[in-house]
């Protein structure tokens, strides 16, 4: 690290759990962020500021006026632009020290697998079950840790699915295709800071995964109710009949 980097990241380097070695680990890391919306905004901005060296941001959408209430990567001037283009601009403005790659399409199939394989951690900041299931499948296949987040109305949840660990549940152990209730913020509304809270927690968990520190939310699901301000933590178990992760082990 050069002197500028030592100063930029000094408040993290001060932490004994991070130190210079940890910061170098962050700078050498690659994070894949699926979705540059309400969750992807705070998640990507914190990872950029913290010095995760290579962020890959995937989103097929373009910026609309109704996004700006909660998707802080994008600004009024960005309406009509690809979300990944405005995301890249914001992230490199926050921290020109990192690299930001963009994918202006829905990642699927081999392209999704390729990106997941190259990532040290994947953040699912999408808003639909089809994407979540596809991302989970790719993360299990390539044993890439997945930080999953969701938020709607005044509620949110976050979990880590780390298939590097033995007997670790995957997203599909929790939700099955066909049973899901595909509600989105665009259809149901969301109070702006709720996505900020959940996306920030995703960034925190992703940093812990990269640094291998503390106890991540692997095997746990945290549910936040913003209206009553209650937090609940559920323990998740691997489904021995899970079609996605049980066959891999
Ligand atoms: Zn599973």
């Amino acid at each position: 690290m050069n002197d500028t980097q030592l100063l930029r990241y000094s408040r993290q380097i001060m932490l004994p759990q991070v130190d210079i070695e940890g910061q170098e680990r962050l700078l050498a890391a690659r994070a894949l962020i699926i979705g540059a919306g309400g969750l992807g905004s705070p998640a990507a901005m914190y990872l950029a500021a913290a010095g995760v060296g290579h962020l890959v941001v995937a989103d097929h959408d373009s910026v609309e006026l109704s996004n700006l209430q909660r998707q802080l990567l994008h600004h009024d001037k960005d309406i009509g632009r690809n979300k990944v283009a405005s995301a890249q601009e914001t992230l490199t403005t926050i921290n020109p020290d990192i690299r930001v790659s963009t994918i202006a399409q829905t990642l699927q199939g081999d392209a999704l697998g390729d990106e997941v394989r190259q990532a040290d951690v994947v953040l699912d900041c999408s808003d639909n079950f089809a994407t979540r299931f596809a991302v989970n499948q790719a993360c299990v296949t390539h044993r890439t840790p997945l930080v999953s987040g969701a938020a709607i109305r005044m509620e949110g949840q976050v979990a880590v699915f780390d298939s590097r660990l033995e007997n670790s549940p995957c997203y599909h152990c929790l939700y099955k295709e066909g049973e899901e209730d595909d509600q989105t913020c665009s259809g149901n509304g969301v109070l702006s800071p709720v996505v900020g809270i959940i996306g920030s927690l995703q960034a925190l968990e992703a940093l812990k995964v990269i640094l291998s520190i503390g106890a991540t939310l692997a095997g746990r699901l945290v549910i936040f109710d913003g209206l009553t301000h209650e937090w609940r933590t559920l323990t998740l178990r691997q489904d021995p009949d899970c079609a996605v992760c049980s066959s891999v082990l």
Side-chain angles (χ1 to χ4, degrees):
M1 265 183 288
N2 59 38
D3 287 353
T4 313
Q5 289 174 314
L6 286 170
L7 189 56
R8 178 184 286 274
Y9 307 118
S10 56
R11 299 306 187 271
Q12 275 174 194
I13 293 170
M14 264 178 208
L15 301 170
Q17 298 91 338
V18 181
D19 213 323
I20 289 187
E21 193 194 329
Q23 189 61 51
E24 279 171 346
R25 230 167 137 159
L26 294 177
L27 287 165
R30 175 169 176 148
L32 171 63
I33 300 160
I34 312 274
L39 299 172
S41 287
M45 289 160 87
Y46 274 116
L47 294 186
V52 174
H54 189 178
L55 301 182
V56 181
V57 184
D59 199 308
H60 69 281
D61 230 341
S62 52
V63 179
E64 295 175 28
L65 179 58
S66 62
N67 300 151
L68 302 184
Q69 159 255 13
R70 64 195 181 285
Q71 302 185 11
L72 303 188
L73 276 171
H74 318 298
H75 304 103
D76 200 71
K77 67 172 176 58
D78 299 315
I79 291 170
R81 282 179 88 187
N82 280 344
K83 283 189 179 177
V84 289
S86 79
Q88 185 178 44
E89 187 179 300
T90 302
L91 296 171
T92 49
T93 304
I94 290 170
N95 189 357
D97 191 38
I98 59 155
R99 178 175 164 205
V100 180
S101 305
T102 61
I103 298 164
Q105 60 188 34
T106 304
L107 266 181
Q108 47 198 354
D110 291 347
L112 174 62
D114 268 1
E115 285 299 333
V116 166
R117 185 177 47 76
Q118 293 179 73
D120 296 295
V121 62
V122 175
L123 290 86
D124 185 350
C125 301
S126 71
D127 66 350
N128 65 85
F129 279 96
T131 302
R132 290 180 192 135
F133 286 129
V135 170
N136 177 64
Q137 173 75 66
C139 285
V140 170
T141 301
H142 297 285
R143 295 187 184 260
T144 307
L146 168 64
V147 183
S148 172
I152 194 167
R153 293 182 285 261
M154 301 192 203
E155 302 145 35
Q157 60 182 54
V158 57
V160 173
F161 301 101
D162 193 341
S163 15
R164 299 171 306 174
L165 310 173
E166 221 174 304
N167 302 322
S168 181
C170 79
Y171 185 81
H172 194 268
C173 295
L174 182 61
Y175 293 106
K176 304 275 176 280
E177 278 115 326
E179 294 174 5
E180 72 275 15
D181 180 13
D182 214 346
Q183 299 187 335
T184 60
C185 292
S186 40
N188 291 268
V190 65
L191 198 60
S192 173
V194 174
V195 289
I197 291 162
I198 300 299
S200 300
L201 282 178
Q202 288 185 266
L204 174 64
E205 291 301 308
L207 292 178
K208 283 160 57 188
V209 165
I210 295 167
L211 292 166
S212 299
I213 59 169
T216 69
L217 283 176
R220 288 184 289 167
L221 173 73
V222 168
I223 301 174
F224 170 61
D225 182 339
L227 196 58
T228 55
H229 204 118
E230 293 197 14
W231 295 85
R232 284 189 298 149
T233 304
L234 309 182
T235 302
L236 305 177
R237 306 235 176 272
Q238 188 180 39
D239 176 358
D241 299 320
C242 176
V244 175
C245 69
S246 67
S247 55
V248 179
L249 298 172

